[in-house]
Amino acid sequence: LDEARIASGIQHPNVAQILDLGEQQDVLFIVMEWVDGDSLAKVRKLITKRGHRLPVGVVLRVIADASAGVHAAHEMRDDKGEPLEIVHRDVSLQNILVGSAGSVKVIDFGIAKAHNRKQGETRTGVVKGKIQYMAPEQVQKGKTVDRRTDVWALGVCLHELVTGKLPYDGDDDIEVIRKLMTDEAPLLAEGLPEGIVRVLERSIALDADARFPTAAGMQRALEAAMKEMGEATTSEDVAAFLRTELPELAQRRKDILNKAVEEARERVASGGETKTTSLPDPDVAFAPTVM
């Protein structure tokens, strides 16, 4: 209910839209727009298996668009015009979808922080989000979690895509939390273009005041970096890359969708429920959030 309430009000091309909320047989469900795409995590994984990395221009375009979507969430206001102060808290490659047309969609506001959450604030001692993408203030007692927390996570996504490694690469969750709690700064990869380094230094900064104050500011810096590096990449370029490098993904999604539609028709024809013959690919939609 909280996710539907928060995310349904965000109308932006870089945020997956919630179309409806309903209940059937005591089970709540959310109807979301169909995104003909896959998560950045899956795309990166497949490209890495082939011994390649995503082109820098594609990376900058995708993270810039994701930043725009996150900023739209941060700017949300209630009916009285008061800021909702939404913080996604779970921005990660798993929660950024890239469509076959090159569109970028931020998803999964299930653990978002906002003023109108019915569940209330997180209890002391409870950490929400994926550890490797967490900002220091998410694990340090007494620190405030605000929009700059999502800026950190966007920076981690950028670092992971351009270097193939997380900022705290090789550390288990406990070690990452220890480093975050003791303000041990992550080591940025060497040899990166200056434009990207500047963005990383202002996103993955231990002091929240040293980060971009808004995700829109980070988006502008990414756009400037693309121009500076001669990597002016468009959504069409992203789509062309996916068609060339990962054509099998689009076909797999088509097969899954056709199968689901056919099973639905069978249920209608039989007047009851039919068992699915196989489970859908778990990477097509949401990735589980570890708390």
Side-chain angles (χ1 to χ4, degrees):
L1 286 172
D2 278 331
E3 178 176 6
R5 186 178 298 107
I6 293 169
S8 62
I10 307 171
Q11 302 295 321
H12 192 274
N14 296 123
V15 177
Q17 300 297 296
I18 288 183
L19 307 176
D20 197 8
L21 171 69
E23 182 177 350
Q24 183 172 2
Q25 297 178 352
D26 297 325
V27 176
L28 289 167
F29 63 86
I30 295 176
V31 180
M32 304 185 71
E33 69 168 303
W34 166 253
V35 180
D36 183 23
D38 288 281
S39 71
L40 261 179
K42 183 172 184 178
V43 171
R44 188 192 78 84
K45 181 179 178 181
L46 292 177
I47 291 295
T48 300
K49 278 186 175 180
R50 298 177 183 183
H52 304 296
R53 286 185 188 170
L54 289 166
V56 172
V58 170
V59 170
L60 295 176
R61 175 78 275 145
V62 169
I63 299 301
D65 289 351
S67 298
V70 170
H71 181 71
H74 292 166
E75 291 292 296
M76 277 294 298
R77 296 175 178 269
D78 62 18
D79 295 337
K80 298 179 181 179
E82 296 296 322
L84 291 174
E85 297 187 5
I86 295 173
V87 184
H88 190 290
R89 293 198 296 192
D90 197 21
V91 175
S92 63
L93 296 189
Q94 290 86 350
N95 287 335
I96 300 174
L97 301 184
V98 184
S100 57
S103 60
V104 175
K105 303 280 186 177
V106 178
I107 63 171
D108 200 354
F109 285 79
I111 65 169
K113 176 179 179 289
H115 278 331
N116 66 345
R117 279 189 69 92
K118 297 301 182 184
Q119 192 177 18
E121 292 301 317
T122 303
R123 301 187 308 275
T124 300
V126 176
V127 176
K128 289 189 174 182
K130 297 181 181 69
I131 302 297
Q132 290 281 358
Y133 296 87
M134 280 187 179
E137 60 268 23
Q138 286 179 275
V139 300
Q140 294 177 2
K141 186 177 180 180
K143 292 294 184 70
T144 300
V145 172
D146 58 26
R147 61 172 68 196
R148 295 170 299 180
T149 298
D150 289 339
V151 167
W152 168 287
L154 286 165
V156 172
C157 291
L158 174 62
H159 188 281
E160 185 176 6
L161 290 176
V162 296
T163 68
K165 298 179 180 180
L166 289 158
Y168 292 112
D169 190 62
D171 295 326
D172 60 27
D173 287 349
I174 299 299
E175 182 64 13
V176 172
I177 291 177
R178 185 195 67 77
K179 289 183 176 180
L180 291 173
M181 293 186 71
T182 57
D183 283 334
E184 186 173 334
L187 295 176
L188 301 184
E190 298 180 354
L192 295 175
E194 290 186 8
I196 293 178
V197 171
R198 287 196 296 270
V199 175
L200 290 174
E201 287 177 343
R202 290 203 63 195
S203 53
I204 314 176
L206 292 175
D207 183 0
D209 291 335
R211 297 177 208 154
F212 294 105
T214 67
M218 183 172 177
Q219 178 194 6
R220 289 192 292 271
L222 289 165
E223 300 280 0
M226 277 190 277
K227 185 176 181 180
E228 175 185 323
M229 298 165 58
E231 295 283 356
T233 306
T234 64
S235 297
E236 289 75 17
D237 295 326
V238 176
F241 170 79
L242 293 174
R243 284 196 303 269
T244 302
E245 298 296 327
L246 300 170
E248 71 276 12
L249 290 182
Q251 185 59 48
R252 189 183 305 172
R253 289 193 302 271
K254 183 178 179 181
D255 293 343
I256 291 173
L257 185 59
N258 288 340
K259 185 175 182 179
V261 171
E262 185 60 33
E263 288 174 347
R265 287 173 177 162
E266 291 176 4
R267 285 195 296 272
V268 172
S270 64
E273 295 185 357
T274 58
K275 294 183 179 179
T276 57
T277 55
S278 63
L279 292 175
D281 186 340
D283 290 328
V284 169
F286 295 99
T289 294
V290 179
M291 297 188 183

